[in-house]
Amino acid sequence: MIKFGKGVVKLRISILILAFLLLIPSGIGYVNTRVNYDILSYLPGEIETMKGQDLLLDEFGTGAFSFVVVEGMEDKDVEKVADQIKDIKHVKSVIWYGSVADFSIPKEALPDDVYEFFNNKEADSQLMAVLYDDAMSADGTMEAVEQMNQLMEDKCFVSGMTSVNNDIKKVSENEAVIYVLIAVVLSLIVLSLTMDSVVVPFLFLLSIGMAIVYNLGSNVFLGQISFVTKALAAVLQLGVTMDYSIFLWHSYEEQQERFNGDKERAMAHAISNTITSVVGSSITTVAGFLALCFMSFTLGRDLGIVMAKGVVFGVIGCVTILPSLILVFDKAVEKTKHRVILPDAGKIAGWVTRHSAVFLVVFLIVLVPAIYGYTHTDVYYDLTGTLPDTFASKVANDKLTEQYHMGATHMILTKSSLSEKDSMNMIDEIKKLDGVKLAVSLDSVLGPNIPQEMVPENIKDIFISGDYQMMLVSSEYATASDEVNKQCDEINKIIKKYDDSAMLIGEAPCTKDLIEITDKDFKRVSAVSIGVIFLIIALVFKSISLPIILVAVIEFAIFINMGIPAYTGTVLPFIASIVIGTIQLGATVDYAILMTNKYKKNRYNGMEKKEAITDALGKSTQSVIVSALSFFAATFGVGMYSNIDMISSLCILMARGAIVSMFVVVFILPSMFMIFDRIICASSAGFKVKNK
């Protein structure tokens, strides 16, 4: 590795020129990477609800729909608005009571439930169903929603998941830059307190920033990334890879003392040492992120691949770009040197080892409520309910609920050859279910009072296409509620009785699948991440006992972090319960590995148990605190600022997890070493005193 270090030092100018040139294609790649705002689209394609969504788009040319509440308008004005909406690109059709039966048929001729579905006299409002010719989160569909919102802002309210996705898109695009600014400013504050030069923190952030741009730019090869990944990637990469830069700087300062101020030689050796140490510790972080790829819900794979790439780019930047920057700006670095403001926390090492029994008791006492909280934290799956009240989609959804008592809307796809009798019987059975507000097929809309020949062809085309016909079911129950999930099960039983190939699709059935799939994903990802990191630690330390101790200590920190919401009454987004444990384990197990390496070296060099552990803790505490504070700084501010609860919750959990892991590693891990030292030495290679 020393040859590589010497090569970097020699070619530092060329490296920087190449690094800045690579920002150009990376920037182009970043701009051209599509962002997906539809969480439900990450469900596995082989499940029935997703197959039904594809079938709906292929057969009916409809991939999404919205309900539009129109207030304070006469019928003729509603008709004008409907015509204007029809003219918007990607709007396939508009259904309202006038289009269902045409003005030649009086309102009273419509079935009562159909008329009441579209009209609310008390609120002086009418309802429209707008169907789109593309998928729910397609760019064209969201652009159509935006135009509808602008059409009549004070009288036209567009609800539904497409409207929600459109609001999330606008907010995340506006906030993305602010996320990075907040993370950079807070990281600068932490680095200013912990570094001994004013310029060095800026070099750190420049090097990491370039690695972030490379990572985000390379996402273009993935085709698209989720808005969650886009929002978290930069701040998470900043927090996770800051350790590597700090390690290089400290190693560089040590090597300068060793080589009497020969900075080029010192940097070459610092690079060599950093590669040896950082590559080993980064493997656990990469493994933690790649464990997310084992999720059936492919949002995990999306986030896992991007963040694993980010760690790799961070390591490469740390041993190439950062050393080059430090050497090129050497004069500025030297001129701005100052005393480290943060006090030396290593002095607590002796006190911790003397009270190891106390901390073990604390561990056992806290473990029980931590596990209880961890297993009793509530999660939510309905994204619409957590949006700010000012969002257009939230206003529209609230009006839909208040004026029409509507929650979820389901679609049923059956064979078009289904007899009129079976179709009517199916709808009648569904109508009798609790919480069903309206269930309609073309046959039930016509009823006995309207001849089929009087129905406009465009309305027939909405309900029947080739071998399939579509039915609509409006529910009073909210998406993701226990009631609507039970209702979906009951509807499925009914439709399969009449047509075993029938499919129930829509937001609520998809969310029901999401709940079932992510519950399995949580168990799978936890097992994979623990297993892989356990194996890596076992191979690195050639130990049977150390993987158990290190993983147990960090899992204890995860139990505390994820258990706190149960006691504060905080409900977390479902994705948090799956990914946070894996991210916290992969990102903060490095703290434990750092201390373990020093403890191992001390025992190998002949130190007694207490002396070895005290020295390892004393030399590690500062680094652990700086690493944890850097991770905290990169994520906490974003969590407090973001208006998207999924982003906010994830960042706050990551920030708190870094601090909890820091305390656990500083206070609990040394106590474990004190108690299990004999077992560790007997079951691990490299702990026995070397031959003199």
Side-chain angles (χ1 to χ4, degrees):
M1 291 301 175
I2 189 64
K3 289 183 178 179
F4 178 82
K6 290 179 178 178
V8 170
V9 170
K10 183 179 178 180
L11 299 172
R12 57 186 178 273
I13 300 299
S14 300
I15 288 171
L16 288 181
I17 292 172
L18 178 62
F20 280 103
L21 287 175
L22 285 174
L23 292 175
I24 297 172
S26 298
I28 294 172
Y30 172 74
V31 171
N32 287 283
T33 301
R34 186 181 181 275
V35 181
N36 186 356
Y37 296 90
D38 182 9
I39 292 294
L40 295 177
S41 67
Y42 289 97
L43 285 167
E46 64 271 13
I47 63 175
E48 188 173 272
T49 47
M50 296 306 290
K51 287 181 179 178
Q53 293 288 144
D54 293 338
L55 190 64
L56 186 68
L57 188 58
D58 294 339
E59 293 292 330
F60 290 84
T62 298
F65 69 93
S66 297
F67 283 114
V68 181
V69 179
V70 181
E71 293 183 340
M73 287 191 187
E74 298 291 333
D75 290 348
K76 59 180 181 179
D77 295 322
V78 175
E79 184 181 21
K80 289 179 183 177
V81 171
D83 290 339
Q84 288 177 303
I85 292 175
K86 282 181 188 175
D87 292 336
I88 294 174
K89 191 176 181 181
H90 294 293
V91 170
K92 183 175 184 290
S93 55
V94 180
I95 307 173
W96 61 297
Y97 89 88
S99 63
V100 171
D102 201 78
F103 283 120
S104 60
I105 300 174
K107 298 177 185 179
E108 293 74 17
L110 289 170
D112 291 341
D113 55 354
V114 174
Y115 174 72
E116 291 170 3
F117 178 81
F118 284 109
N119 294 269
N120 185 325
K121 289 183 178 180
E122 292 181 5
D124 191 21
S125 68
Q126 296 190 40
L127 197 63
M128 294 181 181
V130 178
L131 281 70
Y132 307 99
D133 63 8
D134 210 338
M136 186 185 297
S137 64
D139 295 333
T141 306
M142 288 194 285
E143 179 58 32
V145 169
E146 186 62 24
Q147 290 184 43
M148 288 161 60
N149 281 330
Q150 295 171 1
L151 190 63
M152 296 188 69
E153 292 183 7
D154 57 338
K155 292 186 176 182
C156 187
F157 305 92
V158 186
S159 68
M161 276 305 297
T162 300
S163 183
V164 170
N165 292 338
N166 186 53
D167 277 343
I168 291 175
K169 177 182 179 180
K170 289 191 291 184
V171 173
S172 60
E173 285 179 347
N174 292 335
E175 291 186 351
V177 176
I178 301 175
Y179 294 163
V180 177
L181 288 175
I182 291 172
V184 166
V185 170
L186 293 180
S187 295
L188 273 175
I189 293 172
V190 170
L191 293 172
S192 298
L193 293 172
T194 56
M195 295 288 103
D196 55 0
S197 171
V198 173
V199 172
V200 167
F202 290 94
L203 300 182
F204 281 9
L205 291 172
L206 178 58
S207 171
I208 295 171
M210 294 171 79
I212 289 171
V213 174
Y214 300 151
N215 185 33
L216 296 179
S218 66
N219 290 336
V220 71
F221 297 109
L222 300 177
Q224 66 177 18
I225 59 172
S226 74
F227 76 93
V228 176
T229 302
K230 181 183 177 183
L232 294 179
V235 295
L236 194 50
Q237 187 175 338
L238 175 62
V240 169
T241 62
M242 182 65 75
D243 297 0
Y244 312 149
S245 300
I246 294 169
F247 188 93
L248 176 84
W249 175 250
H250 287 161
S251 180
Y252 175 51
E253 290 189 314
E254 290 173 7
Q255 297 300 327
Q256 284 189 76
E257 293 178 8
R258 178 184 173 192
F259 294 109
N260 196 26
D262 186 346
K263 293 182 178 178
E264 292 189 5
R265 191 177 179 190
M267 183 59 79
H269 281 269
I271 293 169
S272 177
N273 291 343
T274 301
I275 291 174
T276 304
S277 301
V278 165
V279 169
S281 64
S282 66
I283 289 174
T284 57
T285 308
V286 170
F289 285 124
L290 289 180
L292 296 174
C293 296
F294 286 84
M295 290 173 60
S296 300
F297 183 58
T298 54
L299 178 63
R301 183 177 64 194
D302 188 81
L303 180 61
I305 291 174
V306 172
M307 287 315 307
K309 284 196 298 102
V311 173
V312 173
F313 279 117
V315 171
I316 294 171
C318 173
V319 297
T320 56
I321 299 172
L322 182 58
S324 302
L325 287 171
I326 291 173
L327 290 175
V328 168
F329 291 97
D330 177 67
K331 289 183 180 179
V333 170
E334 292 297 328
K335 285 182 180 179
T336 58
K337 281 207 167 186
H338 58 79
R339 287 181 59 190
V340 176
I341 301 172
L342 194 69
D344 183 9
K347 295 177 181 178
I348 67 170
W351 181 80
V352 172
T353 51
R354 284 194 304 272
H355 296 85
S356 57
V358 175
F359 289 114
L360 181 63
V361 172
V362 171
F363 168 77
L364 294 173
I365 292 173
V366 175
L367 182 61
V368 175
I371 292 176
Y372 178 85
Y374 177 75
T375 55
H376 287 79
T377 294
D378 292 326
V379 298
Y380 69 82
Y381 294 84
D382 182 15
L383 302 181
T384 61
T386 60
L387 295 176
D389 291 337
T390 55
F391 278 28
S393 59
K394 184 69 163 58
V395 172
N397 285 330
D398 288 345
K399 285 185 178 291
L400 194 65
T401 302
E402 293 166 6
Q403 297 181 15
Y404 292 89
H405 306 291
M406 283 179 61
T409 299
H410 321 309
M411 285 175 282
I412 300 169
L413 293 182
T414 68
K415 294 175 182 176
S416 57
S417 58
L418 191 69
S419 68
E420 179 181 343
K421 179 183 177 182
D422 284 346
S423 172
M424 294 290 287
N425 288 338
M426 180 192 294
I427 292 297
D428 287 341
E429 281 195 56
I430 293 172
K431 283 180 180 179
K432 294 175 183 177
L433 295 177
D434 291 340
V436 170
K437 180 179 173 62
L438 176 73
V440 294
S441 63
L442 183 61
D443 294 323
S444 68
V445 168
L446 298 180
N449 298 322
I450 303 175
Q452 187 166 348
E453 56 269 16
M454 292 187 66
V455 179
E457 284 298 322
N458 62 322
I459 299 300
K460 290 182 183 178
D461 292 341
I462 291 172
F463 287 97
I464 297 178
S465 178
D467 295 332
Y468 296 91
Q469 65 172 307
M470 179 175 64
M471 305 176 183
L472 294 176
V473 179
S474 173
S475 172
E476 295 178 359
Y477 300 142
T479 297
S481 64
D482 292 338
E483 293 84 0
V484 84
N485 290 338
K486 182 182 177 183
Q487 186 184 80
C488 288
D489 286 335
E490 292 172 338
I491 292 174
N492 261 318
K493 289 178 183 177
I494 293 171
I495 64 176
K496 297 292 185 184
K497 185 168 63 175
Y498 292 94
D499 178 4
D500 58 7
S501 66
M503 299 179 182
L504 180 67
I505 61 177
E507 184 187 349
C510 283
T511 304
K512 180 178 179 292
D513 286 338
L514 176 68
I515 294 170
E516 295 169 357
I517 287 169
T518 52
D519 182 57
K520 296 176 183 176
D521 280 344
F522 172 70
K523 298 170 185 174
R524 182 187 301 119
V525 169
S526 295
V528 170
S529 61
I530 291 172
V532 171
I533 291 176
F534 184 97
L535 183 61
I536 291 170
I537 295 172
L539 293 173
V540 169
F541 288 106
K542 297 180 176 64
S543 171
I544 299 171
S545 55
L546 282 174
I548 298 173
I549 293 171
L550 268 58
V551 171
V553 165
I554 300 301
E555 282 295 317
F556 173 60
I558 293 169
F559 290 159
I560 294 174
N561 185 30
M562 292 296 291
I564 289 174
Y567 296 102
T568 60
T570 304
V571 182
L572 300 177
F574 72 94
I575 194 67
S577 64
I578 304 172
V579 305
I580 285 299
T582 302
I583 292 173
Q584 187 175 341
L585 176 61
T588 64
V589 74
D590 291 352
Y591 307 165
I593 291 173
L594 173 67
M595 187 181 299
T596 306
N597 271 319
K598 295 184 184 298
Y599 161 51
K600 175 183 176 180
K601 185 177 180 181
N602 290 343
R603 290 296 272 156
Y604 183 69
N605 287 332
M607 287 187 185
E608 293 299 321
K609 176 179 75 172
K610 187 173 182 180
E611 181 187 5
I613 296 169
T614 303
D615 181 76
L617 176 57
K619 290 179 178 177
S620 304
T621 301
Q622 193 84 0
S623 298
V624 170
I625 290 175
V626 173
S627 297
L629 288 178
S630 298
F631 200 167
F632 177 85
T635 52
F636 180 73
V638 176
M640 296 300 292
Y641 174 79
S642 180
N643 282 308
I644 302 173
D645 189 61
M646 184 174 290
I647 305 301
S648 175
S649 295
L650 285 167
C651 285
I652 288 174
L653 283 167
M654 285 189 286
R656 187 172 64 210
I659 300 301
V660 173
S661 292
M662 176 191 76
F663 279 107
V664 168
V665 168
V666 171
F667 293 103
I668 303 298
L669 184 59
S671 304
M672 293 289 189
F673 289 159
M674 288 290 291
I675 293 163
F676 298 108
D677 175 77
R678 182 175 295 180
I679 296 174
I680 292 170
C681 292
S683 60
S684 309
F687 277 80
K688 294 180 180 179
V689 179
K690 64 181 178 180
N691 295 325
K692 294 184 180 179

